[in-house]
């Protein structure tokens, strides 16, 4: 078993990646990629035949010659099939329509498979210093198919480098470099038997850079959040277009502190309030700019004092805000960030207040 340790290790790691991908996709509700599953299937088939041939070629005395030839034939065909899947997945990575390119390359792989089958009688086996290996016309046909795959990936990578994202660049580069380097080593040192590293490297790269269900799940949630924020900002624009007026019982708000100080202002000029220890900073609009006054009071007392004004609401343990003064909403999974008219900073909306905030904006 010494001669197939590398192949067995690559096979087990590939199976682990595929099982993890399948389980996480199901758990997180992520739709599986059919092309990645096809790539994974051919990777496993190629690795199984790679291990089988590495064993059979080193036990020619005990393995019937016909069985050895059949295993090598299966390995060559699975390698050609895997090259096709590599190219198809690579096209997807760089946003090239596989259907258009496959019109050229499907015949290449079909011809390659036919040539391998027709030239199998010309295969021969060589006993090397460390391990035995196969040579002959079928081997060179496979190298030719691999070479075409490498050249095509290089061309498409060069053409699309400027328009693909960083993670897609990383994945496409690994596809190209791993196939090129390992195939070159295998060509120069045929007894190295490093071909099993190619499917492993490509599966690992595809999983990490593009197919990781956790990353896809988080991205989906981020997209949902951005859509929600866009809806909120559209609603804010509609509210401003209608020039919604704040419903109040008087034309002025008088906010008093626990000492003698107080602030009197129009409800429409109130921007937000921020708790700072035992004090509250009141921000309000004056001559188109934000003014600040500080009162000794708690946020709980201030919220109670302003509860008759429905457009002024608490959005954080330390903030009250006038909904009619919000110009834009941004944020992430941790909460929203508000831009206020006339104020350069941002106001946080904590996660616990997001549902109430969304409902208030929509009303």
């Amino acid at each position: 078993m010494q001669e197939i340790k590398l192949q067995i290790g690559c096979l087990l790691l590939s199976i682990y990646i595929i099982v993890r991908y399948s389980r996480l996709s199901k758990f997180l509700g992520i739709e599986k990629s059919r092309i990645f599953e096809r790539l994974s299937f051919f990777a496993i088939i190629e690795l199984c035949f790679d291990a089988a041939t590495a064993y059979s070629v080193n036990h020619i005395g005990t393995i019937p010659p016909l069985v050895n030839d059949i295993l090598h034939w299966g390995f060559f065909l699975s390698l050609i099939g895997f090259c096709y899947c590599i190219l198809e997945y690579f096209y997807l990575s760089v946003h090239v329509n596989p259907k258009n390119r496959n019109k050229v390359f499907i015949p290449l792989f079909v011809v390659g498979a036919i040539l391998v089958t027709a030239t199998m009688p010309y295969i021969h086996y060589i006993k090397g210093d460390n391990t035995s290996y196969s040579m002959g016309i079928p081997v060179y046909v496979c190298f030719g198919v691999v070479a075409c795959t490498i050249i095509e990936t290089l061309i498409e990578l060069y053409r699309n480098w400027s328009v693909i994202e960083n993670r897609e660049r990383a994945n496409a580069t690994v596809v190209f470099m791993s196939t090129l380097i390992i195939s070159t080593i295998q060509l120069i040192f045929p007894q190295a038997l490093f071909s099993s590293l190619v499917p492993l490297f490509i599966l690992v790269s595809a999983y990490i850079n593009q197919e990781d269900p956790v990353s896809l799940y988080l991205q989906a949630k981020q997209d949902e959040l951005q859509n929600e924020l866009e809806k909120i900002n559209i609603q804010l624009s509609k509210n401003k277009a209608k020039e919604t007026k704040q419903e109040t019982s008087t034309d002025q708000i008088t906010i008093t502190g626990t000492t003698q100080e107080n602030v009197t202002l129009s409800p429409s000029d109130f921007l937000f309030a921020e708790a700072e220890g035992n004090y509250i900073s009141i921000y309000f609009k004056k001559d188109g700019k934000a003014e600040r006054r500080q009162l000794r009071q708690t946020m709980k007392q201030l919220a109670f004092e302003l509860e008759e004004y429905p457009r002024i609401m608490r959005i954080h343990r330390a903030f009250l805000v006038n909904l009619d003064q919000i110009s834009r909403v941004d944020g992430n999974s941790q909460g929203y960030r508000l831009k206020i008219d006339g104020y350069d900073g941002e106001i946080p909306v904590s996660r616990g207040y997001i549902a109430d905030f969304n409902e208030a904006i929509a009303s």
Side-chain angles (χ1 to χ4, degrees), residues 137-346:
I137 297 177
V139 176
Y140 295 119
V141 171
C142 288
F143 275 121
V145 171
V146 171
C148 291
T149 303
I150 292 172
I151 293 171
E152 173 62 8
T153 54
L154 178 61
I155 292 172
E156 295 299 342
L157 188 59
Y158 175 77
R159 285 178 177 175
N160 298 278
W161 184 263
S162 61
V163 297
I164 56 178
E165 299 178 0
N166 289 336
R167 62 187 180 87
E168 294 166 340
R169 287 179 180 177
N171 188 41
T173 302
V174 170
V175 170
F176 169 71
M177 292 302 297
S178 62
T179 307
L180 174 63
I181 293 174
I182 297 172
S183 299
T184 301
I185 294 174
Q186 189 66 50
L187 178 62
I188 299 173
F189 305 103
Q191 63 176 316
L193 300 185
F194 283 166
S195 57
S196 59
L197 292 174
V198 173
L200 175 62
F201 285 178
I202 291 175
L203 283 183
V204 169
S205 175
Y207 181 86
I208 293 175
N209 290 303
Q210 290 187 248
E211 306 297 342
D212 180 16
V214 175
S215 298
L216 294 176
Y217 175 80
L218 293 176
Q219 183 61 49
K221 290 298 180 183
Q222 182 65 24
D223 292 342
E224 289 179 8
L225 175 62
Q226 293 303 319
N227 290 335
E228 185 65 33
L229 291 175
E230 188 62 29
K231 291 179 182 178
I232 291 173
N233 287 314
I234 291 173
Q235 187 62 46
L236 286 173
S237 299
K238 290 180 179 179
N239 292 343
K240 288 184 179 297
K242 294 178 181 178
E243 296 181 352
T244 305
K245 295 184 178 180
Q246 193 175 34
E247 297 180 2
T248 62
S249 57
T250 63
D251 293 331
Q252 298 289 314
I253 299 175
T254 299
I255 303 172
T256 59
T258 56
T259 55
Q260 299 296 321
E261 71 274 14
N262 63 72
V263 177
T264 300
L265 53 104
S266 170
S268 61
D269 290 334
F270 180 89
L271 297 178
F272 68 94
E274 179 182 8
E276 298 176 337
N278 295 324
Y279 290 84
I280 295 290
S281 291
I282 308 295
Y283 290 81
F284 55 95
K285 189 183 296 185
K286 185 176 182 181
D287 299 327
K289 296 182 179 180
E291 294 284 335
R292 174 177 175 269
R293 290 284 299 276
Q294 193 173 63
L295 304 176
R296 186 176 179 84
Q297 196 182 58
T298 65
M299 181 59 72
K300 184 177 180 180
Q301 291 170 329
L302 179 61
F304 178 77
E305 191 171 338
L306 297 177
E307 66 178 358
E308 65 179 286
Y309 304 100
R311 301 300 291 174
I312 298 176
M313 69 174 296
R314 193 167 185 176
I315 45 86
H316 188 279
R317 64 178 180 83
F319 287 93
L320 283 170
V321 69
N322 184 350
L323 300 179
D324 294 328
Q325 295 294 344
I326 300 172
S327 60
R328 181 167 180 80
V329 182
D330 295 308
N332 52 38
S333 59
Q334 301 303 311
Y336 296 168
R337 299 186 305 276
L338 311 181
K339 294 292 291 184
I340 303 296
D341 288 335
Y343 179 69
D344 293 333
E346 293 182 329

Side-chain angles (χ1 to χ4, degrees), residues 25-97:
S25 297
K26 182 178 181 180
F27 178 74
L28 296 174
I30 300 297
E31 184 178 358
K32 296 180 182 179
S33 167
R34 291 185 179 180
I35 193 168
F36 179 69
E37 288 188 311
R38 188 155 57 247
L39 181 73
S40 302
F41 172 78
F42 272 93
I44 295 299
I45 297 299
E46 195 264 356
L47 284 169
C48 288
F49 274 112
D50 198 346
T53 53
Y55 180 83
S56 67
V57 78
N58 282 281
H59 296 80
I60 294 178
T62 57
I63 300 293
L66 179 60
V67 173
N68 189 40
D69 290 346
I70 291 174
L71 290 175
H72 278 80
W73 176 70
F75 170 68
F76 296 144
L77 292 185
S78 65
L79 179 61
I80 291 173
F82 184 65
C83 284
Y84 170 75
C85 291
I86 290 175
L87 209 53
E88 188 179 31
Y89 190 79
F90 180 82
Y91 289 149
L92 180 66
S93 298
V94 297
H95 307 299
V96 175
N97 189 341

